[in-house]
Amino acid sequence: MQHSFLVIGFSLNAIQQIAYEYLLASGITKINTIQTLANIPYVLIITPIFIKNFGLLGAAISFLIQMTISAFVYLYVFNKVSLKGSPLWIIKDILSPLSISIIIAFLTKSLANLIGFSIYETLIVAIMMGIITLFILFLLFDYNNLVSTLKTILKRFKDEEYSIYFHKVLKLIHYYI
């Protein structure tokens, strides 16, 4: 169970990283300092309480809470500083794809548990579903970019140099399978 909280927490951490890096590159370090100083009491006081009462699950929940607060703070400041507009882009560009990804991941994990896959089979299914999820997200949120990228890839495969490498990769795959 704690794995789910950690995955969501690290997802939020990855989302906040974009805003964090932007703010640093823009020379706005005050928010980073404030955020770090605000996290210190949380980590020193609240996290041990969660760990004492709930063990590893408490640590994961505490991490999730910390990353949720941190992500929303960074996205709010990022929106005010760089976009100076409506925060609706957060819903469209971040929360919608994240929600779809989490739902697909949950369904995949539930199906793997129901069928009784081994660890390796679950890993293979997770990788395949990750690729399918990316494709679905591109179709839903960035269709034009997906089509132009696929056209570029197909054009490059028509080039002789890429074709040779592609056939070598296929031979290696067939050799090891």
Side-chain angles (χ1 to χ4, degrees), residues 139-170:
L139 284 176
L140 292 175
F141 297 101
D142 203 7
Y143 178 77
N144 293 334
N145 192 22
L146 175 66
V147 170
S148 66
T149 302
L150 289 175
K151 284 181 181 177
T152 304
I153 290 170
L154 290 174
K155 191 183 295 183
R156 288 184 181 173
F157 275 123
K158 288 181 182 177
D159 183 14
E160 187 66 31
E161 181 181 341
Y162 287 100
S163 178
I164 292 170
Y165 290 122
F166 182 69
H167 289 296
K168 286 182 180 181
V169 168
L170 283 179

PDB file of all heavy atoms in Angstrom, residues 139-170:
ATOM      1  N   LEU A 139      -2.461  11.047 -27.880  1.00  0.00           N
ATOM      2  CA  LEU A 139      -3.678  11.147 -28.704  1.00  0.00           C
ATOM      3  C   LEU A 139      -4.678  12.133 -28.115  1.00  0.00           C
ATOM      4  O   LEU A 139      -5.305  12.910 -28.841  1.00  0.00           O
ATOM      5  CB  LEU A 139      -4.334   9.778 -28.850  1.00  0.00           C
ATOM      6  CG  LEU A 139      -3.671   8.800 -29.808  1.00  0.00           C
ATOM      7  CD1 LEU A 139      -4.390   7.458 -29.758  1.00  0.00           C
ATOM      8  CD2 LEU A 139      -3.666   9.340 -31.223  1.00  0.00           C
ATOM      9  N   LEU A 140      -4.825  12.109 -26.792  1.00  0.00           N
ATOM     10  CA  LEU A 140      -5.809  12.969 -26.157  1.00  0.00           C
ATOM     11  C   LEU A 140      -5.370  14.421 -26.038  1.00  0.00           C
ATOM     12  O   LEU A 140      -6.170  15.339 -26.195  1.00  0.00           O
ATOM     13  CB  LEU A 140      -6.154  12.437 -24.760  1.00  0.00           C
ATOM     14  CG  LEU A 140      -6.910  11.113 -24.702  1.00  0.00           C
ATOM     15  CD1 LEU A 140      -7.066  10.662 -23.264  1.00  0.00           C
ATOM     16  CD2 LEU A 140      -8.267  11.252 -25.369  1.00  0.00           C
ATOM     17  N   PHE A 141      -4.086  14.643 -25.742  1.00  0.00           N
ATOM     18  CA  PHE A 141      -3.652  15.989 -25.381  1.00  0.00           C
ATOM     19  C   PHE A 141      -2.692  16.645 -26.374  1.00  0.00           C
ATOM     20  O   PHE A 141      -2.500  17.855 -26.311  1.00  0.00           O
ATOM     21  CB  PHE A 141      -2.999  15.973 -23.986  1.00  0.00           C
ATOM     22  CG  PHE A 141      -3.951  15.568 -22.914  1.00  0.00           C
ATOM     23  CD1 PHE A 141      -3.939  14.288 -22.398  1.00  0.00           C
ATOM     24  CD2 PHE A 141      -4.880  16.459 -22.429  1.00  0.00           C
ATOM     25  CE1 PHE A 141      -4.830  13.903 -21.408  1.00  0.00           C
ATOM     26  CE2 PHE A 141      -5.781  16.088 -21.442  1.00  0.00           C
ATOM     27  CZ  PHE A 141      -5.753  14.807 -20.928  1.00  0.00           C
ATOM     28  N   ASP A 142      -2.073  15.875 -27.250  1.00  0.00           N
ATOM     29  CA  ASP A 142      -1.094  16.473 -28.163  1.00  0.00           C
ATOM     30  C   ASP A 142      -1.084  15.728 -29.488  1.00  0.00           C
ATOM     31  O   ASP A 142      -0.033  15.295 -29.968  1.00  0.00           O
ATOM     32  CB  ASP A 142       0.295  16.443 -27.519  1.00  0.00           C
ATOM     33  CG  ASP A 142       1.217  17.499 -28.099  1.00  0.00           C
ATOM     34  OD1 ASP A 142       0.742  18.324 -28.893  1.00  0.00           O
ATOM     35  OD2 ASP A 142       2.410  17.484 -27.760  1.00  0.00           O
ATOM     36  N   TYR A 143      -2.237  15.580 -30.092  1.00  0.00           N
ATOM     37  CA  TYR A 143      -2.406  14.789 -31.311  1.00  0.00           C
ATOM     38  C   TYR A 143      -1.532  15.298 -32.453  1.00  0.00           C
ATOM     39  O   TYR A 143      -0.858  14.514 -33.120  1.00  0.00           O
ATOM     40  CB  TYR A 143      -3.880  14.783 -31.729  1.00  0.00           C
ATOM     41  CG  TYR A 143      -4.137  14.032 -33.010  1.00  0.00           C
ATOM     42  CD1 TYR A 143      -4.160  12.642 -33.007  1.00  0.00           C
ATOM     43  CD2 TYR A 143      -4.327  14.709 -34.209  1.00  0.00           C
ATOM     44  CE1 TYR A 143      -4.383  11.940 -34.180  1.00  0.00           C
ATOM     45  CE2 TYR A 143      -4.548  14.015 -35.378  1.00  0.00           C
ATOM     46  CZ  TYR A 143      -4.569  12.637 -35.360  1.00  0.00           C
ATOM     47  OH  TYR A 143      -4.783  11.938 -36.517  1.00  0.00           O
ATOM     48  N   ASN A 144      -1.522  16.606 -32.684  1.00  0.00           N
ATOM     49  CA  ASN A 144      -0.753  17.161 -33.804  1.00  0.00           C
ATOM     50  C   ASN A 144       0.739  16.891 -33.666  1.00  0.00           C
ATOM     51  O   ASN A 144       1.418  16.563 -34.628  1.00  0.00           O
ATOM     52  CB  ASN A 144      -1.014  18.657 -33.949  1.00  0.00           C
ATOM     53  CG  ASN A 144      -2.438  18.942 -34.371  1.00  0.00           C
ATOM     54  OD1 ASN A 144      -3.081  18.114 -34.997  1.00  0.00           O
ATOM     55  ND2 ASN A 144      -2.941  20.105 -33.998  1.00  0.00           N
ATOM     56  N   ASN A 145       1.252  17.025 -32.457  1.00  0.00           N
ATOM     57  CA  ASN A 145       2.668  16.755 -32.231  1.00  0.00           C
ATOM     58  C   ASN A 145       2.978  15.277 -32.427  1.00  0.00           C
ATOM     59  O   ASN A 145       4.021  14.919 -32.955  1.00  0.00           O
ATOM     60  CB  ASN A 145       3.059  17.212 -30.826  1.00  0.00           C
ATOM     61  CG  ASN A 145       4.553  17.232 -30.627  1.00  0.00           C
ATOM     62  OD1 ASN A 145       5.317  17.304 -31.584  1.00  0.00           O
ATOM     63  ND2 ASN A 145       4.958  17.183 -29.382  1.00  0.00           N
ATOM     64  N   LEU A 146       2.063  14.396 -31.997  1.00  0.00           N
ATOM     65  CA  LEU A 146       2.254  12.960 -32.178  1.00  0.00           C
ATOM     66  C   LEU A 146       2.330  12.607 -33.658  1.00  0.00           C
ATOM     67  O   LEU A 146       3.224  11.869 -34.084  1.00  0.00           O
ATOM     68  CB  LEU A 146       1.125  12.173 -31.516  1.00  0.00           C
ATOM     69  CG  LEU A 146       1.149  10.658 -31.727  1.00  0.00           C
ATOM     70  CD1 LEU A 146       2.358  10.037 -31.041  1.00  0.00           C
ATOM     71  CD2 LEU A 146      -0.124  10.026 -31.232  1.00  0.00           C
ATOM     72  N   VAL A 147       1.431  13.148 -34.451  1.00  0.00           N
ATOM     73  CA  VAL A 147       1.403  12.849 -35.884  1.00  0.00           C
ATOM     74  C   VAL A 147       2.676  13.344 -36.551  1.00  0.00           C
ATOM     75  O   VAL A 147       3.297  12.622 -37.339  1.00  0.00           O
ATOM     76  CB  VAL A 147       0.148  13.482 -36.545  1.00  0.00           C
ATOM     77  CG1 VAL A 147       0.228  13.389 -38.059  1.00  0.00           C
ATOM     78  CG2 VAL A 147      -1.104  12.800 -36.029  1.00  0.00           C
ATOM     79  N   SER A 148       3.116  14.568 -36.240  1.00  0.00           N
ATOM     80  CA  SER A 148       4.338  15.085 -36.863  1.00  0.00           C
ATOM     81  C   SER A 148       5.572  14.290 -36.427  1.00  0.00           C
ATOM     82  O   SER A 148       6.470  14.046 -37.227  1.00  0.00           O
ATOM     83  CB  SER A 148       4.523  16.574 -36.555  1.00  0.00           C
ATOM     84  OG  SER A 148       4.750  16.774 -35.191  1.00  0.00           O
ATOM     85  N   THR A 149       5.595  13.845 -35.169  1.00  0.00           N
ATOM     86  CA  THR A 149       6.718  13.031 -34.693  1.00  0.00           C
ATOM     87  C   THR A 149       6.752  11.683 -35.406  1.00  0.00           C
ATOM     88  O   THR A 149       7.812  11.226 -35.832  1.00  0.00           O
ATOM     89  CB  THR A 149       6.608  12.809 -33.170  1.00  0.00           C
ATOM     90  OG1 THR A 149       6.589  14.070 -32.519  1.00  0.00           O
ATOM     91  CG2 THR A 149       7.771  11.982 -32.654  1.00  0.00           C
ATOM     92  N   LEU A 150       5.586  11.044 -35.553  1.00  0.00           N
ATOM     93  CA  LEU A 150       5.540   9.759 -36.257  1.00  0.00           C
ATOM     94  C   LEU A 150       5.946   9.917 -37.723  1.00  0.00           C
ATOM     95  O   LEU A 150       6.652   9.060 -38.273  1.00  0.00           O
ATOM     96  CB  LEU A 150       4.144   9.145 -36.148  1.00  0.00           C
ATOM     97  CG  LEU A 150       3.751   8.626 -34.766  1.00  0.00           C
ATOM     98  CD1 LEU A 150       2.310   8.150 -34.768  1.00  0.00           C
ATOM     99  CD2 LEU A 150       4.677   7.525 -34.306  1.00  0.00           C
ATOM    100  N   LYS A 151       5.532  10.998 -38.360  1.00  0.00           N
ATOM    101  CA  LYS A 151       5.931  11.252 -39.749  1.00  0.00           C
ATOM    102  C   LYS A 151       7.444  11.416 -39.847  1.00  0.00           C
ATOM    103  O   LYS A 151       8.064  10.896 -40.772  1.00  0.00           O
ATOM    104  CB  LYS A 151       5.229  12.496 -40.294  1.00  0.00           C
ATOM    105  CG  LYS A 151       3.784  12.281 -40.638  1.00  0.00           C
ATOM    106  CD  LYS A 151       3.153  13.555 -41.188  1.00  0.00           C
ATOM    107  CE  LYS A 151       1.687  13.342 -41.517  1.00  0.00           C
ATOM    108  NZ  LYS A 151       1.054  14.593 -41.981  1.00  0.00           N
ATOM    109  N   THR A 152       8.039  12.124 -38.896  1.00  0.00           N
ATOM    110  CA  THR A 152       9.494  12.311 -38.886  1.00  0.00           C
ATOM    111  C   THR A 152      10.209  10.983 -38.706  1.00  0.00           C
ATOM    112  O   THR A 152      11.194  10.698 -39.395  1.00  0.00           O
ATOM    113  CB  THR A 152       9.897  13.286 -37.763  1.00  0.00           C
ATOM    114  OG1 THR A 152       9.197  14.508 -37.940  1.00  0.00           O
ATOM    115  CG2 THR A 152      11.392  13.533 -37.762  1.00  0.00           C
ATOM    116  N   ILE A 153       9.714  10.158 -37.807  1.00  0.00           N
ATOM    117  CA  ILE A 153      10.339   8.853 -37.566  1.00  0.00           C
ATOM    118  C   ILE A 153      10.243   7.987 -38.818  1.00  0.00           C
ATOM    119  O   ILE A 153      11.227   7.356 -39.227  1.00  0.00           O
ATOM    120  CB  ILE A 153       9.688   8.155 -36.354  1.00  0.00           C
ATOM    121  CG1 ILE A 153      10.063   8.886 -35.065  1.00  0.00           C
ATOM    122  CG2 ILE A 153      10.106   6.692 -36.270  1.00  0.00           C
ATOM    123  CD1 ILE A 153       9.293   8.425 -33.846  1.00  0.00           C
ATOM    124  N   LEU A 154       9.068   7.960 -39.441  1.00  0.00           N
ATOM    125  CA  LEU A 154       8.901   7.153 -40.654  1.00  0.00           C
ATOM    126  C   LEU A 154       9.784   7.665 -41.785  1.00  0.00           C
ATOM    127  O   LEU A 154      10.357   6.881 -42.548  1.00  0.00           O
ATOM    128  CB  LEU A 154       7.433   7.143 -41.082  1.00  0.00           C
ATOM    129  CG  LEU A 154       6.498   6.355 -40.174  1.00  0.00           C
ATOM    130  CD1 LEU A 154       5.052   6.548 -40.613  1.00  0.00           C
ATOM    131  CD2 LEU A 154       6.857   4.883 -40.159  1.00  0.00           C
ATOM    132  N   LYS A 155       9.927   8.973 -41.894  1.00  0.00           N
ATOM    133  CA  LYS A 155      10.784   9.555 -42.930  1.00  0.00           C
ATOM    134  C   LYS A 155      12.246   9.154 -42.703  1.00  0.00           C
ATOM    135  O   LYS A 155      12.964   8.827 -43.631  1.00  0.00           O
ATOM    136  CB  LYS A 155      10.650  11.074 -42.918  1.00  0.00           C
ATOM    137  CG  LYS A 155      11.289  11.759 -44.110  1.00  0.00           C
ATOM    138  CD  LYS A 155      11.183  13.276 -44.019  1.00  0.00           C
ATOM    139  CE  LYS A 155       9.742  13.720 -44.088  1.00  0.00           C
ATOM    140  NZ  LYS A 155       9.611  15.194 -44.064  1.00  0.00           N
ATOM    141  N   ARG A 156      12.661   9.126 -41.432  1.00  0.00           N
ATOM    142  CA  ARG A 156      14.043   8.745 -41.120  1.00  0.00           C
ATOM    143  C   ARG A 156      14.289   7.259 -41.372  1.00  0.00           C
ATOM    144  O   ARG A 156      15.383   6.859 -41.730  1.00  0.00           O
ATOM    145  CB  ARG A 156      14.380   9.111 -39.682  1.00  0.00           C
ATOM    146  CG  ARG A 156      14.537  10.586 -39.484  1.00  0.00           C
ATOM    147  CD  ARG A 156      14.950  10.921 -38.088  1.00  0.00           C
ATOM    148  NE  ARG A 156      15.077  12.361 -37.940  1.00  0.00           N
ATOM    149  CZ  ARG A 156      15.290  12.959 -36.791  1.00  0.00           C
ATOM    150  NH1 ARG A 156      15.403  12.252 -35.682  1.00  0.00           N
ATOM    151  NH2 ARG A 156      15.388  14.259 -36.737  1.00  0.00           N
ATOM    152  N   PHE A 157      13.254   6.435 -41.145  1.00  0.00           N
ATOM    153  CA  PHE A 157      13.425   5.006 -41.399  1.00  0.00           C
ATOM    154  C   PHE A 157      13.521   4.710 -42.887  1.00  0.00           C
ATOM    155  O   PHE A 157      14.086   3.692 -43.283  1.00  0.00           O
ATOM    156  CB  PHE A 157      12.290   4.183 -40.773  1.00  0.00           C
ATOM    157  CG  PHE A 157      12.539   3.843 -39.337  1.00  0.00           C
ATOM    158  CD1 PHE A 157      11.629   4.202 -38.365  1.00  0.00           C
ATOM    159  CD2 PHE A 157      13.683   3.154 -38.948  1.00  0.00           C
ATOM    160  CE1 PHE A 157      11.854   3.885 -37.036  1.00  0.00           C
ATOM    161  CE2 PHE A 157      13.917   2.844 -37.630  1.00  0.00           C
ATOM    162  CZ  PHE A 157      12.998   3.214 -36.670  1.00  0.00           C
ATOM    163  N   LYS A 158      12.990   5.587 -43.708  1.00  0.00           N
ATOM    164  CA  LYS A 158      13.143   5.406 -45.154  1.00  0.00           C
ATOM    165  C   LYS A 158      14.576   5.692 -45.581  1.00  0.00           C
ATOM    166  O   LYS A 158      15.046   5.187 -46.592  1.00  0.00           O
ATOM    167  CB  LYS A 158      12.177   6.325 -45.910  1.00  0.00           C
ATOM    168  CG  LYS A 158      10.747   5.871 -45.803  1.00  0.00           C
ATOM    169  CD  LYS A 158       9.829   6.799 -46.576  1.00  0.00           C
ATOM    170  CE  LYS A 158       8.383   6.349 -46.424  1.00  0.00           C
ATOM    171  NZ  LYS A 158       7.470   7.283 -47.100  1.00  0.00           N
ATOM    172  N   ASP A 159      15.264   6.504 -44.781  1.00  0.00           N
ATOM    173  CA  ASP A 159      16.672   6.782 -45.042  1.00  0.00           C
ATOM    174  C   ASP A 159      17.457   5.490 -44.841  1.00  0.00           C
ATOM    175  O   ASP A 159      17.224   4.723 -43.920  1.00  0.00           O
ATOM    176  CB  ASP A 159      17.161   7.863 -44.071  1.00  0.00           C
ATOM    177  CG  ASP A 159      18.598   8.273 -44.320  1.00  0.00           C
ATOM    178  OD1 ASP A 159      19.129   7.938 -45.390  1.00  0.00           O
ATOM    179  OD2 ASP A 159      19.179   8.928 -43.429  1.00  0.00           O
ATOM    180  N   GLU A 160      18.402   5.232 -45.692  1.00  0.00           N
ATOM    181  CA  GLU A 160      19.145   3.964 -45.693  1.00  0.00           C
ATOM    182  C   GLU A 160      19.896   3.719 -44.381  1.00  0.00           C
ATOM    183  O   GLU A 160      19.914   2.614 -43.862  1.00  0.00           O
ATOM    184  CB  GLU A 160      20.136   3.959 -46.867  1.00  0.00           C
ATOM    185  CG  GLU A 160      20.841   2.645 -47.080  1.00  0.00           C
ATOM    186  CD  GLU A 160      19.893   1.531 -47.500  1.00  0.00           C
ATOM    187  OE1 GLU A 160      18.880   1.808 -48.167  1.00  0.00           O
ATOM    188  OE2 GLU A 160      20.147   0.380 -47.121  1.00  0.00           O
ATOM    189  N   GLU A 161      20.504   4.761 -43.825  1.00  0.00           N
ATOM    190  CA  GLU A 161      21.307   4.601 -42.603  1.00  0.00           C
ATOM    191  C   GLU A 161      20.456   4.096 -41.436  1.00  0.00           C
ATOM    192  O   GLU A 161      20.834   3.177 -40.733  1.00  0.00           O
ATOM    193  CB  GLU A 161      21.941   5.946 -42.244  1.00  0.00           C
ATOM    194  CG  GLU A 161      22.814   5.886 -41.009  1.00  0.00           C
ATOM    195  CD  GLU A 161      23.399   7.251 -40.673  1.00  0.00           C
ATOM    196  OE1 GLU A 161      23.425   8.122 -41.561  1.00  0.00           O
ATOM    197  OE2 GLU A 161      23.825   7.415 -39.529  1.00  0.00           O
ATOM    198  N   TYR A 162      19.296   4.697 -41.234  1.00  0.00           N
ATOM    199  CA  TYR A 162      18.438   4.261 -40.141  1.00  0.00           C
ATOM    200  C   TYR A 162      17.871   2.869 -40.398  1.00  0.00           C
ATOM    201  O   TYR A 162      17.660   2.097 -39.486  1.00  0.00           O
ATOM    202  CB  TYR A 162      17.300   5.263 -39.924  1.00  0.00           C
ATOM    203  CG  TYR A 162      17.763   6.545 -39.282  1.00  0.00           C
ATOM    204  CD1 TYR A 162      17.979   7.681 -40.050  1.00  0.00           C
ATOM    205  CD2 TYR A 162      18.007   6.604 -37.921  1.00  0.00           C
ATOM    206  CE1 TYR A 162      18.408   8.857 -39.460  1.00  0.00           C
ATOM    207  CE2 TYR A 162      18.445   7.764 -37.329  1.00  0.00           C
ATOM    208  CZ  TYR A 162      18.640   8.895 -38.100  1.00  0.00           C
ATOM    209  OH  TYR A 162      19.072  10.050 -37.519  1.00  0.00           O
ATOM    210  N   SER A 163      17.602   2.561 -41.632  1.00  0.00           N
ATOM    211  CA  SER A 163      17.064   1.257 -41.987  1.00  0.00           C
ATOM    212  C   SER A 163      18.043   0.148 -41.617  1.00  0.00           C
ATOM    213  O   SER A 163      17.653  -0.892 -41.100  1.00  0.00           O
ATOM    214  CB  SER A 163      16.753   1.217 -43.486  1.00  0.00           C
ATOM    215  OG  SER A 163      16.274  -0.042 -43.832  1.00  0.00           O
ATOM    216  N   ILE A 164      19.324   0.376 -41.863  1.00  0.00           N
ATOM    217  CA  ILE A 164      20.358  -0.613 -41.522  1.00  0.00           C
ATOM    218  C   ILE A 164      20.379  -0.843 -40.010  1.00  0.00           C
ATOM    219  O   ILE A 164      20.402  -1.980 -39.546  1.00  0.00           O
ATOM    220  CB  ILE A 164      21.743  -0.148 -42.033  1.00  0.00           C
ATOM    221  CG1 ILE A 164      21.754  -0.172 -43.561  1.00  0.00           C
ATOM    222  CG2 ILE A 164      22.850  -1.012 -41.456  1.00  0.00           C
ATOM    223  CD1 ILE A 164      22.971   0.496 -44.158  1.00  0.00           C
ATOM    224  N   TYR A 165      20.351   0.240 -39.213  1.00  0.00           N
ATOM    225  CA  TYR A 165      20.356   0.105 -37.767  1.00  0.00           C
ATOM    226  C   TYR A 165      19.098  -0.598 -37.271  1.00  0.00           C
ATOM    227  O   TYR A 165      19.146  -1.414 -36.363  1.00  0.00           O
ATOM    228  CB  TYR A 165      20.489   1.468 -37.081  1.00  0.00           C
ATOM    229  CG  TYR A 165      21.850   2.082 -37.245  1.00  0.00           C
ATOM    230  CD1 TYR A 165      22.008   3.322 -37.839  1.00  0.00           C
ATOM    231  CD2 TYR A 165      22.985   1.410 -36.801  1.00  0.00           C
ATOM    232  CE1 TYR A 165      23.264   3.888 -37.985  1.00  0.00           C
ATOM    233  CE2 TYR A 165      24.238   1.960 -36.945  1.00  0.00           C
ATOM    234  CZ  TYR A 165      24.372   3.203 -37.542  1.00  0.00           C
ATOM    235  OH  TYR A 165      25.603   3.740 -37.680  1.00  0.00           O
ATOM    236  N   PHE A 166      17.970  -0.284 -37.857  1.00  0.00           N
ATOM    237  CA  PHE A 166      16.709  -0.906 -37.480  1.00  0.00           C
ATOM    238  C   PHE A 166      16.768  -2.411 -37.703  1.00  0.00           C
ATOM    239  O   PHE A 166      16.365  -3.200 -36.848  1.00  0.00           O
ATOM    240  CB  PHE A 166      15.559  -0.274 -38.279  1.00  0.00           C
ATOM    241  CG  PHE A 166      14.209  -0.823 -37.925  1.00  0.00           C
ATOM    242  CD1 PHE A 166      13.638  -0.556 -36.690  1.00  0.00           C
ATOM    243  CD2 PHE A 166      13.511  -1.615 -38.814  1.00  0.00           C
ATOM    244  CE1 PHE A 166      12.392  -1.052 -36.356  1.00  0.00           C
ATOM    245  CE2 PHE A 166      12.267  -2.120 -38.491  1.00  0.00           C
ATOM    246  CZ  PHE A 166      11.710  -1.832 -37.256  1.00  0.00           C
ATOM    247  N   HIS A 167      17.297  -2.840 -38.848  1.00  0.00           N
ATOM    248  CA  HIS A 167      17.397  -4.272 -39.135  1.00  0.00           C
ATOM    249  C   HIS A 167      18.394  -4.968 -38.204  1.00  0.00           C
ATOM    250  O   HIS A 167      18.181  -6.112 -37.807  1.00  0.00           O
ATOM    251  CB  HIS A 167      17.773  -4.500 -40.603  1.00  0.00           C
ATOM    252  CG  HIS A 167      16.655  -4.166 -41.548  1.00  0.00           C
ATOM    253  ND1 HIS A 167      15.461  -4.853 -41.563  1.00  0.00           N
ATOM    254  CD2 HIS A 167      16.535  -3.197 -42.484  1.00  0.00           C
ATOM    255  CE1 HIS A 167      14.665  -4.343 -42.465  1.00  0.00           C
ATOM    256  NE2 HIS A 167      15.294  -3.309 -43.049  1.00  0.00           N
ATOM    257  N   LYS A 168      19.462  -4.275 -37.837  1.00  0.00           N
ATOM    258  CA  LYS A 168      20.420  -4.849 -36.879  1.00  0.00           C
ATOM    259  C   LYS A 168      19.766  -5.047 -35.512  1.00  0.00           C
ATOM    260  O   LYS A 168      19.982  -6.066 -34.859  1.00  0.00           O
ATOM    261  CB  LYS A 168      21.651  -3.949 -36.752  1.00  0.00           C
ATOM    262  CG  LYS A 168      22.580  -4.021 -37.943  1.00  0.00           C
ATOM    263  CD  LYS A 168      23.797  -3.158 -37.727  1.00  0.00           C
ATOM    264  CE  LYS A 168      24.731  -3.247 -38.932  1.00  0.00           C
ATOM    265  NZ  LYS A 168      25.936  -2.436 -38.756  1.00  0.00           N
ATOM    266  N   VAL A 169      18.963  -4.078 -35.088  1.00  0.00           N
ATOM    267  CA  VAL A 169      18.270  -4.202 -33.806  1.00  0.00           C
ATOM    268  C   VAL A 169      17.293  -5.374 -33.853  1.00  0.00           C
ATOM    269  O   VAL A 169      17.200  -6.162 -32.909  1.00  0.00           O
ATOM    270  CB  VAL A 169      17.544  -2.882 -33.454  1.00  0.00           C
ATOM    271  CG1 VAL A 169      16.585  -3.075 -32.293  1.00  0.00           C
ATOM    272  CG2 VAL A 169      18.551  -1.797 -33.139  1.00  0.00           C
ATOM    273  N   LEU A 170      16.566  -5.506 -34.965  1.00  0.00           N
ATOM    274  CA  LEU A 170      15.637  -6.636 -35.102  1.00  0.00           C
ATOM    275  C   LEU A 170      16.368  -7.973 -35.048  1.00  0.00           C
ATOM    276  O   LEU A 170      15.895  -8.923 -34.419  1.00  0.00           O
ATOM    277  CB  LEU A 170      14.855  -6.528 -36.417  1.00  0.00           C
ATOM    278  CG  LEU A 170      13.707  -5.521 -36.436  1.00  0.00           C
ATOM    279  CD1 LEU A 170      13.053  -5.507 -37.804  1.00  0.00           C
ATOM    280  CD2 LEU A 170      12.682  -5.848 -35.373  1.00  0.00           C
TER     281      LEU A 170
END
